[in-house]
Amino acid sequence: GTSDPNAGFGVVALAAGTTEANEGASGAFRWAQSLNYGIMPNPAIINTFMVQGYDIGDPWNGGCPNHGICNTTTAPYSVKLTPQVMGNLHCRDKQYVGSRYAMGAAKVIYGQEDHIYSGPLISGCSYDDKGMITISFNKTLLFNEKVIVQEWAPWYNTSIPLPSRWSATQVLVNKTKWTFINDMYGLSAGSDGYSVIVNVTDIAPDSSTTIDGIRYAWGDITNSALCCGTMNTQIQPCPMASCPIVSSDTILPASPINAMIVNGKCVCYEPQQCNE
């Protein structure tokens, strides 16, 4: 072709709830979009950036066929007012993806250095003997922002109870079973502003239980969205951009995490590195 091999472009990671990847493969699909580095640009491809889309999939996860609620003009994220195109493959609400894309292009393609363009990216983790995993995030990418854990609360109805699994955080127990953490106290922001604490004391109460890996926002959930857990999104829509680990001001979502824990430290799958 005639395109400059270094021509700049952006990639939008696969939104949750699409038909492009099933529940188990969605995390690996998004990771592959970054050429397995978890972020762009990276050593394999320059002059590019990645926009996370896992938290801005269709709030109704493809519709409400048995209830018809989403087809009214007064419904939050109304399908009647903003129809789907090609099913739920593309985000209907373009504000989030457009804003994130603009931030990425401004920084990476047009050289505007004075702002953030990516949400928190894991740089390492440690697992202590008190049952706490501390996930550290890349300070340089955060620019002048911090890492926060935002509360889950649907803007359209704050009385909706907190669904289980909303934290989208899992740990690998005894090298065999991925288990969701306790949503009530399992996830909190670290005091340094660049880390998140994962409490696994109830999952691994003593040394007979090992924690051998950690995942965040990795696999999709059937009939729901990544950070709405057990909420049935064919009855109630998942509020967009509701995943917990985000940057403090721009509210950019953290890059998904999939790492082994070896000798109390995180080890990411190559070529991604997270061994700080």
Side-chain angles (χ1 to χ4, degrees), residues 66-254:
N66 298 323
H67 304 277
I69 306 166
C70 64
N71 295 307
T72 67
T73 57
T74 57
Y77 308 110
S78 169
V79 174
K80 188 174 184 65
L81 293 178
T82 310
Q84 294 177 340
V85 177
M86 298 176 65
N88 58 351
L89 175 59
H90 298 286
C91 304
R92 288 189 294 119
D93 188 326
K94 304 301 183 186
Q95 181 176 355
Y96 289 107
V97 70
S99 175
R100 295 173 185 181
Y101 205 94
M103 282 189 277
K107 179 97 171 188
V108 178
I109 308 301
Y110 298 106
Q112 297 179 15
E113 297 292 337
D114 60 344
H115 64 87
I116 192 173
Y117 81 95
S118 170
L121 176 72
I122 185 174
S123 60
C125 86
S126 60
Y127 177 39
D128 65 24
D129 57 4
K130 297 179 181 178
M132 302 293 176
I133 303 171
T134 301
I135 305 173
S136 301
F137 294 92
N138 186 302
K139 294 181 182 179
T140 302
L141 286 173
L142 285 163
F143 193 59
N144 59 357
E145 297 193 33
K146 304 291 186 180
V147 178
I148 64 171
V149 175
Q150 66 173 347
E151 295 182 359
W152 188 91
W155 58 268
Y156 60 87
N157 185 350
T158 56
S159 67
I160 293 177
L162 188 72
S164 62
R165 301 184 179 183
W166 74 272
S167 65
T169 304
Q170 298 171 279
V171 291
L172 181 61
V173 180
N174 293 332
K175 299 182 179 180
T176 58
K177 183 179 180 181
W178 286 102
T179 303
F180 282 93
I181 65 169
N182 188 305
D183 292 305
M184 299 305 296
Y185 58 79
L187 199 64
S188 60
S191 59
D192 62 355
Y194 299 103
S195 62
V196 164
I197 313 300
V198 181
N199 185 331
V200 295
T201 53
D202 59 332
I203 298 174
D206 53 51
S207 59
S208 65
T209 304
T210 63
I211 300 296
D212 305 293
I214 188 163
R215 285 177 173 175
Y216 171 74
W218 192 253
D220 289 358
I221 300 174
T222 303
N223 289 333
S224 187
L226 252 176
C227 298
C228 281
T230 53
M231 169 187 273
N232 187 339
T233 54
Q234 294 188 339
I235 299 176
Q236 296 167 320
C238 178
M240 299 181 80
S242 60
C243 290
I245 305 178
V246 295
S247 56
S248 57
D249 300 328
T250 48
I251 314 299
L252 290 173

